[in-house]
Amino acid sequence: QVQLVESGGGLVQPGGSLRLSCAASGIFLGRNTVGWYRQAPEKQRELVAALLPNGDTRYGDSVKGRFTISRDIRANTVALKMDSLKPDDTAMYYCSARIGVTYWGQGTQVTVSS
């Protein structure tokens, strides 16, 4: 039974930073692509960052240079470090992991005040 649990969201001022974490059980994050997606109200879910098993990364255009995805094999977690946050970053952030099918966490809310 796969479970992904996000944490670290909250309210932050523009220009501030947050670090999100995704804790996994029932799945080993080191063998598969993991990622972060976000979805704002009435908008499509969009890729924030992805991390491949070989260490390659991919970022959405709007977050390049500001966000960093990383993996902790020992803890079986994936993190998203977010710097220079903007109001447009406000969204529900979801952790994902793919092992033939894609699993999702319940999401953590990030709100950047304006």
Side-chain angles (χ1 to χ4, degrees):
Q1 188 171 357
V2 174
Q3 186 177 33
L4 303 173
V5 180
E6 302 95 335
S7 63
L11 176 65
V12 64
Q13 295 179 332
S17 298
L18 284 174
R19 186 180 186 274
L20 307 183
S21 183
C22 174
S25 60
I27 184 173
F28 179 55
L29 298 180
R31 292 282 187 174
N32 297 278
T33 297
V34 297
W36 289 92
Y37 290 75
R38 68 186 183 188
Q39 188 167 23
E42 305 300 325
K43 293 192 174 182
Q44 300 285 341
R45 183 174 296 186
E46 64 176 346
L47 173 71
V48 176
L51 177 60
L52 279 65
N54 66 1
D56 289 348
T57 58
R58 178 187 175 193
Y59 294 94
D61 289 340
S62 64
V63 307
K64 287 180 180 177
R66 300 189 297 119
F67 291 10
T68 304
I69 188 171
S70 62
R71 177 164 42 203
D72 187 332
I73 298 298
R74 295 171 297 172
N76 204 30
T77 61
V78 59
L80 182 70
K81 181 66 168 64
M82 305 184 294
D83 295 318
S84 302
L85 283 163
K86 306 173 181 179
D88 285 349
D89 295 320
T90 296
M92 185 73 74
Y93 284 71
Y94 298 91
C95 175
S96 71
R98 185 170 182 84
I99 51 168
V101 298
T102 302
Y103 296 89
W104 299 93
Q106 80 287 349
T108 185
Q109 179 68 40
V110 172
T111 301
V112 185
S113 64
S114 58

